[in-house]
Amino acid sequence: MAGSMAGMTAVICTYPLDMVRVRLAFQVKGEHTYSGIIHAFKTIYAKEGGFLGFYRGLMPTILGMAPYAGVSFFTFGTLKSVGLSYAPTLLGRPSSDNPNVLVLKTHINLLCGGVAGAIAQTISYPFDVTRRRMQLGTVLPEFEKCLTMWETMKYVYGHHGIRKGLYRGLSLNYIRCVPSQAVAFTTYELMKQFFHLN
């Protein structure tokens, strides 16, 4: 719950930046709607409902963040606990801050973090696809059919199916997500030892 709440708070605070980033990244060479970051902010504010225009697609992001963060932390914790219970000498080592406590070896930490990230990403990915489509908004020709989260999900599923619609781009996302989560969890565990929290 703590991981989910932290993730949702961060998303709400930084969502307008993500919206502008997606819009700028989607521009095709020669067809620039926005001349830069400031122009994108001004245009979205003026043409898409003011302040609320920056939060288009927030609901699927929040609904995806809760299971992503929750599943990620739960999976990592479970893998760590099972690994240290069933193969302590193979997978674990004494903690540098408290020799009475076993912690995962660094390479095992990386593996568990990567697996946790992959599982969490797989579960929450349809929300990510929905968010991106909603963020693009008026840039897409079918945007009138994708005004709400459910309309967008139904549209993507109806026109593209599961594999080529709701999970389109998942394999590329693994390339970013798996190493990111592996490093994040490993850093978290090392910082716990550094600050003597074991």
Side-chain angles (χ1 to χ4, degrees), residues 11 15 18-19 21-22 56-68 117 120-136 140 149 152-153 156 165-174 176-177:
V11 163
Y15 199 78
D18 192 44
M19 167 70 93
R21 180 192 62 81
V22 166
R56 181 178 170 84
L58 179 64
M59 188 56 72
T61 304
I62 288 177
L63 291 176
M65 178 57 70
Y68 178 82
Q121 188 66 49
T122 303
I123 290 170
S124 64
Y125 196 71
F127 290 107
D128 199 37
V129 168
T130 304
R131 170 191 59 86
R132 273 184 271 125
R133 194 174 258 311
M134 290 181 75
Q135 282 180 327
L136 290 171
L140 298 174
M149 181 182 75
T152 305
M153 284 184 142
V156 171
L166 294 174
Y167 282 93
R168 182 182 193 136
L170 178 62
S171 56
L172 284 174
N173 217 44
Y174 284 147
R176 176 193 60 82
C177 157

Side-chain angles (χ1 to χ4, degrees), residues 3-162:
S4 295
M5 293 304 291
M8 287 188 286
T9 302
V11 163
I12 290 169
C13 292
T14 61
Y15 199 78
L17 298 171
D18 192 44
M19 167 70 93
V20 169
R21 180 192 62 81
V22 166
R23 293 287 180 93
L24 290 171
F26 189 74
Q27 293 188 120
V28 181
K29 189 174 183 180
E31 297 178 26
H32 290 280
T33 306
Y34 311 107
S35 60
I37 295 171
I38 302 298
H39 183 248
F41 271 107
K42 287 179 179 177
T43 305
I44 293 168
Y45 184 84
K47 294 184 178 179
E48 297 186 36
F51 189 66
L52 291 178
F54 294 110
Y55 286 92
R56 181 178 170 84
L58 179 64
M59 188 56 72
T61 304
I62 288 177
L63 291 176
M65 178 57 70
Y68 178 82
V71 168
S72 183
F73 278 99
F74 174 78
T75 303
F76 180 80
T78 301
L79 290 172
K80 177 181 171 184
S81 175
V82 169
L84 291 175
S85 296
Y86 291 100
T89 55
L90 179 65
L91 304 178
R93 63 173 176 76
S95 175
S96 61
D97 67 322
N98 184 352
N100 297 325
V101 174
L102 276 180
V103 295
L104 292 174
K105 294 176 180 175
T106 303
H107 66 285
I108 303 299
N109 244 330
L110 287 165
L111 179 65
C112 291
V115 169
I119 291 170
Q121 188 66 49
T122 303
I123 290 170
S124 64
Y125 196 71
F127 290 107
D128 199 37
V129 168
T130 304
R131 170 191 59 86
R132 273 184 271 125
R133 194 174 258 311
M134 290 181 75
Q135 282 180 327
L136 290 171
T138 57
V139 176
L140 298 174
E142 70 275 0
F143 100 94
E144 302 91 19
K145 299 173 186 166
C146 301
L147 295 176
T148 68
M149 181 182 75
W150 296 117
E151 286 175 353
T152 305
M153 284 184 142
K154 279 174 33 184
Y155 179 84
V156 171
Y157 175 74
H159 285 78
H160 306 288
I162 293 176

